[in-house]
Amino acid sequence: MQDSSLLSPLVVGIDVGGTKTHLRAVAGADLVADRVRASTGWRPHDPVAAADWLATLIADALPTGARPGAVAVGGHACETPRQCAWIMYALQLHLDAPVLVVGDAELLVPAAGLEKGVGLVAGTGSVAVGRLPDGSPLQVGGWGAVLGDEGGAAGLVREAVRAVWAAHDRGETPDALAEGLTTAFEVAEVPALGAALESAEDVSADWGSRAPVVFAAAEAGSALARSVIAEGGRSLAGLVRRLAVRGAAVDDVVVAGGTILSQPALYDAFVTALADSVPGARPTRLTVPPVQGATALAHSLL
């Protein structure tokens, strides 16, 4: 059901990120609501709690009495189609309207105005999503800082620590990367970095917040830092390659995420590696908010 005072269908798109959530509601060309809030309380592995959280978010954002004609959600850590479907079914109990719930990376391609392609995110973590020829979603990467997230901020820091450890074991003098990491983690020497990483309360956030050290060290001339960044770019291109091997359309690759979009060295390393591993793939920086992809998906439900 939707607000009868609106001349066009009211659609709601929601981008639930790891840190912040962006809701946008539109009716035709009219912007009805545009809200950004913290993602505190988002629990994607509890479908009922996630649906309650989303329903409250929608009710708080829309004008009194307004009801959406369609809702699309891109959810952080909504990792499988089954998990997203459970949240979708639970949210539909709150709304008399069609609902779609997907992983947040799936918002990138429609946000860029494309019908098919790859969405690649390299922020704190990293993940790539695409679609198989039958339309079913396919995700690669996104396994968290301990096991994966290569090319994301936390993964880069993990690999940077490994690189300076190896250099220490070879008897090399600490370079700008080693000095930057020991300062950032407030330890006296390279061997103490392991305990510093293991003591992190929030691994992804704590490790990822030190990523600027890697790029600063590269600018200062650290060969180790440059090799870590280059490998991060190759790893991100490898995600696209995995999608291609499995049959997903990879002609267009829409790139988003605070780390890769704010660090030209990583973006350039990715583009170079992509040209080698997936010739013909066209990388594009996302220049609009991902929530725009959510509203586009909501429109498709009408």
Side-chain angles (χ1 to χ4, degrees):
M1 182 182 299
Q2 92 140 59
D3 184 5
S4 60
S5 69
L6 298 172
L7 298 178
S8 299
L10 173 62
V11 301
V12 175
I14 305 174
D15 172 26
V16 186
T19 303
K20 65 181 181 178
T21 291
H22 191 176
L23 178 148
R24 180 173 291 175
V26 296
D30 296 326
L31 180 64
V32 177
D34 194 75
R35 301 281 184 87
V36 177
R37 56 154 290 176
S39 296
T40 306
W42 172 243
R43 295 163 56 193
H45 295 285
D46 183 338
V48 173
D52 290 348
W53 190 87
L54 290 166
T56 300
L57 179 71
I58 294 167
D60 290 345
L62 296 185
T64 302
R67 293 181 178 273
V71 176
V73 179
H76 171 72
C78 191
E79 296 160 343
T80 68
R82 177 181 295 180
Q83 182 188 0
C84 292
W86 286 341
I87 298 173
M88 180 186 71
Y89 296 142
L91 183 57
Q92 283 177 324
L93 298 176
H94 292 271
L95 304 171
D96 183 17
V99 175
L100 176 66
V101 178
V102 297
D104 56 347
E106 290 198 52
L107 302 182
L108 306 187
V109 170
L114 300 170
E115 293 185 0
K116 61 181 180 178
V118 172
L120 174 75
V121 178
T124 301
S126 64
V127 68
V129 298
R131 293 270 169 177
L132 294 173
D134 65 2
S136 58
L138 182 62
Q139 173 179 313
V140 296
W143 297 113
V146 174
L147 297 177
D149 281 352
E150 293 87 350
L156 288 168
V157 170
R158 182 194 64 231
E159 295 308 307
V161 170
R162 289 171 59 88
V164 299
W165 270 352
H168 174 82
D169 286 350
R170 291 192 297 268
E172 298 175 9
T173 301
D175 73 347
L177 181 59
E179 293 172 354
L181 288 170
T182 53
T183 299
F185 282 100
E186 299 180 347
V187 296
E189 55 186 350
V190 168
L193 285 169
L197 265 65
E198 291 176 352
S199 66
E201 293 185 5
D202 183 335
V203 168
S204 291
D206 289 353
W207 294 4
S209 67
R210 273 76 173 195
V213 168
V214 181
F215 296 99
E219 292 180 1
S222 169
L224 290 177
R226 290 173 179 170
S227 68
V228 168
I229 294 168
E231 183 57 34
R234 285 190 290 270
S235 295
L236 294 172
L239 296 178
V240 181
R241 174 66 179 170
R242 286 181 216 166
L243 291 172
V245 168
R246 295 182 63 180
V250 298
D251 294 334
D252 289 288
V253 182
V254 183
V255 182
T259 301
I260 193 167
L261 293 186
S262 66
Q263 297 292 350
L266 180 61
Y267 186 83
D268 291 346
F270 162 69
V271 170
T272 298
L274 185 67
D276 290 338
S277 59
V278 193
R282 297 181 293 268
T284 303
R285 296 171 181 263
L286 185 66
T287 58
V288 300
V291 74
Q292 191 162 312
T295 57
L297 292 175
H299 273 293
S300 73
L301 300 175
L302 296 173

